[in-house]
Amino acid sequence: MQQMEINMLGQMMNTPLTITDIMRHADKVNGDTEVVSITYDNSYHKYCLTDAFRRSRQLANALQASGIGQGQRVATLAWNDYRHLELYYAVSCSGAVLHTVNPRLFPEQIEYIINHAEDTIVFFDPLFAPLLEKIAKNINCVNNFVMLTSADKMPKCDLDNVIDYESYIASHSETFDWPQLQENQASSLCYTSGTTGHPKGVVYSHRSTVLHSLGSALPDAFSLSMDQTVMPIVPMFHVNGWGLAYSAPMTGAKLVLPGPKMADGETLAELINNEKVTMTAGVPVIWLNLLEHLKQSDTDIPTLDRIIVGGSACPEILINEFDELFNVSVHHAWGMTEMSPLGTFNQLKPKLKTLSDEQKMSYKLKQGRVVFGVDIRIEDWQGNEIDWNGFEFGSMKVRGPWVASGYYKQGEHTDDNGYFDTGDVASIDPDGYMLITDRSKDVIKSGGEWISSIELENIIVAHPDVKEAAVIGIPHRKWGERPMVVIVTKGVEIEEQEILDFYKGKVASFCIPDAVEFAEELPHTATGKLSKKDLRSHYKDKILG
Ligand code: AMP
């Protein structure tokens, strides 16, 4: 884009956009908004935002006393609860950088990222004490460990310099003079475990976080307001919990944080009903658990209005059954760690609401329309931009104030036009609905045709006896590569031919897999996605044709 010389400036104040402003606003305007949590040491904790920020000020004083200065990294290994929320604000608003560590990573990866980030202090949930005890000897930067509990509930722990959180903050003043921060300074850090090499660090800024909070809270995205009660099931250790720990206090939405009980359908249903949750967000598998529990226990969830599903493709059954059985609308969202994370959100345009149920479903299954703040571009394999025609697909690239320009300690990672390559392959229809057809490395190339592995997975998981499925490309003597589907059944035996027949009429015949394998389970990454890398390596010697 051509840069123009400025000959007249706007006269608006150039105040920096910082998380401290979210906190100040939330404290003053939404201070009585409740935050409900389940923690390791408390099965039901309730207080309001004013209490949270008072304790954040104590924590900021404690961090200062520990010598944590501007830009220093503070690690958390923690579930979604009120102490983690206090850390979110105390660390970033005091000028340090909140490094949320994903406890589901392999211990060696956790070791690597704590050393790579040079964290000096680690706040951790008691449940992760054994994990830290195992790797502590290989971590050389950390001086202090703080266990997220109180002295009387603290289990025995072999770490050096360990203290419980309540004692850590107890003696500190409830007032803290928050420093004036610059909007582009780092606020938090989250590593993404790519498919190759070590995890890579994404460094968010105060500005990106504030803009993402504003953009994601809009009505045709998360639609947050003080009328909402939000239960984020997306972990606060993964992409800032999709920013809900910022956008909910900013808008006055009540937060319900289920701590270590995120995968427990019964607890989630109880929380929804006791706290009158209206909106919740997380990855598909969480909702499949909840759906199963609700159906089995004949429980209703009358207050729940919307479920936001992201992280991987949303199965049709979720949208259908939550709608038909519980009157809950399921919305697909897409994003990534490098995008803070929100990129697209699925909300039906008014003109589409009169379509047949089947036609509406074809839109709802797409990943949604791009939100303001993200510029999206689909390129063909030569790098030319593809029209939004809904059938041509290519590499999806993004640009915007909450999109990463590079990785921590690795420099820039954008193309010549300043776009970041998401690694996703997608099409966009004329109404702006984006559909992911694959990850670029997972597309199957068969005799010059591109076959979407995701489309083949979506079809077969609709089979009543299929629990989970993955499709990968297997080398083929004639076609270069052909699709193979790996199936986990719901415990019943299925004939291979039945699987192949299920595809007939649903995709072009050249897309139907050549081979079917059955497995007890499929490999997953630390963020719950299918690990096709592991699956490919498992079948590395297989050749078809
Ligand atoms: P992560 O950075 O771990 O959150 O992973 C981001 C990747 O997850 C994206 O690049 C997509 O490949 C995938 N992803 C996220 N949301 C969706 C979605 N709604 N449907 C399909 N894939 C998704």
Side-chain angles (χ1 to χ4, degrees):
M1 238 182 273
Q2 196 190 342
Q3 290 285 338
M4 306 287 284
E5 204 178 302
I6 303 174
N7 53 23
M8 182 170 167
L9 282 172
Q11 276 188 306
M12 294 295 125
M13 293 181 191
N14 192 13
T15 54
L17 301 172
T18 66
I19 297 170
T20 320
D21 299 307
I22 297 182
M23 177 175 63
R24 282 207 186 100
H25 172 81
D27 201 3
K28 273 192 197 148
V29 178
N30 303 318
D32 57 355
T33 298
E34 283 179 334
V35 178
V36 177
S37 311
I38 292 179
T39 63
Y40 159 88
D41 57 358
N42 193 336
S43 59
Y44 186 80
H45 178 275
K46 195 172 209 167
Y47 69 1
C48 60
L49 285 174
T50 302
D51 303 313
F53 298 134
R54 178 174 37 75
R55 283 165 53 91
S56 286
R57 294 193 292 275
Q58 285 184 283
L59 175 56
N61 281 309
L63 289 167
Q64 205 170 53
S66 294
I68 306 294
Q70 296 268 315
Q72 263 182 291
R73 272 76 64 203
V74 172
T76 61
L77 260 167
W79 295 112
N80 293 9
D81 65 37
Y82 67 102
R83 294 189 183 104
H84 208 175
L85 183 73
E86 293 161 13
L87 279 152
Y88 258 56
Y89 287 93
V91 174
S92 303
C93 299
S94 61
V97 181
L98 182 82
H99 173 201
T100 52
V101 181
N102 183 345
R104 295 184 185 136
L105 293 170
F106 294 121
E108 310 78 63
Q109 289 180 310
I110 296 181
E111 211 175 279
Y112 168 83
I113 65 175
I114 291 180
N115 282 325
H116 188 262
E118 299 168 82
D119 300 321
T120 49
I121 183 166
V122 179
F123 289 81
F124 66 100
D125 194 279
L127 295 166
F128 303 128
L131 170 67
L132 278 173
E133 283 168 347
K134 203 159 106 189
I135 61 174
K137 61 177 183 312
N138 299 325
I139 298 173
N140 37 39
C141 44
V142 174
N143 308 317
N144 296 95
F145 291 96
V146 183
M147 199 190 280
L148 295 164
T149 186
S150 52
D152 56 324
K153 305 265 176 61
M154 186 163 157
K156 192 181 153 323
C157 177
D158 289 339
L159 291 166
D160 290 337
N161 294 332
V162 63
I163 183 173
D164 69 280
Y165 181 86
E166 296 303 326
S167 306
Y168 183 70
I169 66 169
S171 62
H172 291 281
S173 163
E174 292 178 1
T175 58
F176 185 78
D177 192 11
W178 298 108
Q180 180 55 64
L181 304 173
Q182 313 237 356
E183 64 176 13
N184 282 317
Q185 82 184 71
S187 58
S188 60
L189 171 64
C190 180
Y191 281 71
T192 172
S193 53
T195 42
T196 49
H198 286 303
K200 296 189 287 260
V202 177
V203 187
Y204 308 96
S205 67
H206 281 261
R207 180 172 189 268
S208 71
T209 305
V210 171
L211 292 174
H212 180 267
S213 304
L214 287 167
S216 61
L218 285 174
D220 286 330
F222 295 168
S223 188
L224 297 179
S225 77
M226 58 189 176
D227 290 330
Q228 301 286 324
T229 295
V230 179
M231 182 168 73
I233 308 297
V234 49
M236 286 165 76
F237 55 71
H238 184 56
V239 216
N240 305 317
W242 294 4
L244 288 162
Y246 306 114
S247 51
M250 185 181 84
T251 54
K254 170 175 162 180
L255 273 173
V256 178
L257 304 170
K261 298 284 192 179
M262 296 209 293
D264 174 0
E266 188 179 347
T267 306
L268 297 187
E270 264 172 37
L271 281 172
I272 292 170
N273 284 330
N274 292 345
E275 298 306 324
K276 304 196 171 18
V277 171
T278 58
M279 184 277 239
T280 171
V283 294
V285 64
I286 296 284
W287 309 124
L288 290 167
N289 284 346
L290 177 64
L291 189 61
E292 211 52 45
H293 167 76
L294 295 174
K295 286 199 295 191
Q296 269 171 17
S297 61
D298 201 14
T299 307
D300 199 7
I301 40 169
T303 60
L304 192 67
D305 181 44
R306 286 175 309 133
I307 292 180
I308 298 166
V309 178
S312 46
C314 177
E316 185 170 345
I317 186 179
L318 274 186
I319 303 180
N320 252 335
E321 296 210 346
F322 269 112
D323 180 23
E324 279 170 18
L325 306 177
F326 302 101
N327 198 23
V328 174
S329 58
V330 172
H331 297 264
H332 215 168
W334 164 84
M336 60 195 310
T337 309
E338 292 87 336
M339 297 178 68
S340 304
L342 191 62
T344 64
F345 189 88
N346 197 316
Q347 179 90 6
L348 281 192
K349 275 177 147 181
K351 71 170 190 188
L352 303 178
K353 290 185 180 157
T354 52
L355 294 177
S356 70
D357 286 350
E358 201 181 325
Q359 285 169 318
K360 277 195 276 202
M361 183 57 80
S362 70
Y363 283 96
K364 289 181 186 175
L365 285 170
K366 297 189 181 190
Q367 273 71 15
R369 303 170 76 230
V370 68
V371 294
F372 173 76
V374 178
D375 173 17
I376 208 163
R377 174 185 163 101
I378 313 260
E379 289 182 359
D380 66 17
W381 317 115
Q382 283 83 41
N384 305 313
E385 186 164 10
I386 289 177
D387 288 341
W388 291 17
N389 55 27
F391 57 87
E392 279 175 286
F393 55 85
S395 303
M396 183 160 50
K397 296 187 167 181
V398 287
R399 192 168 69 166
W402 61 74
V403 177
S405 60
Y407 293 103
Y408 186 44
K409 297 183 184 170
Q410 287 191 16
E412 292 287 303
H413 195 83
T414 51
D415 68 11
D416 293 346
N417 300 315
Y419 283 84
F420 179 91
D421 189 344
T422 64
D424 287 324
V425 177
S427 64
I428 304 183
D429 70 23
D431 284 304
Y433 288 82
M434 183 273 283
L435 174 72
I436 294 190
T437 52
D438 239 319
R439 292 288 293 162
S440 37
K441 62 198 168 311
D442 294 338
V443 183
I444 298 158
K445 294 138 205 154
S446 171
E449 296 285 353
W450 296 73
I451 298 175
S452 155
S453 65
I454 291 181
E455 186 183 11
L456 296 178
E457 285 157 10
N458 288 343
I459 290 172
I460 204 63
V461 290
H463 185 292
D465 296 329
V466 171
K467 188 171 161 208
E468 206 182 2
V471 173
I472 51 172
I474 297 287
H476 188 282
R477 290 191 177 86
K478 180 171 175 198
W479 300 111
E481 220 178 26
R482 288 293 300 151
M484 177 178 87
V485 58
V486 187
I487 304 270
V488 179
T489 72
K490 288 185 178 162
V492 286
E493 217 167 284
I494 320 177
E495 292 290 318
E496 180 174 330
Q497 195 55 46
E498 191 182 332
I499 297 290
L500 299 178
D501 288 346
F502 197 77
Y503 279 109
K504 288 196 182 139
K506 298 188 178 91
V507 275
S509 54
F510 76 89
C511 298
I512 295 180
D514 275 24
V516 182
E517 288 278 339
F518 294 92
E520 289 288 305
E521 56 178 6
L522 296 176
H524 289 92
T525 67
T527 48
K529 298 187 211 307
L530 267 176
S531 172
K532 295 211 181 163
K533 180 183 74 165
D534 290 334
L535 209 57
R536 276 191 284 264
S537 118
H538 185 78
Y539 292 105
K540 66 178 184 317
D541 299 327
K542 201 170 172 77
I543 297 183
L544 297 171

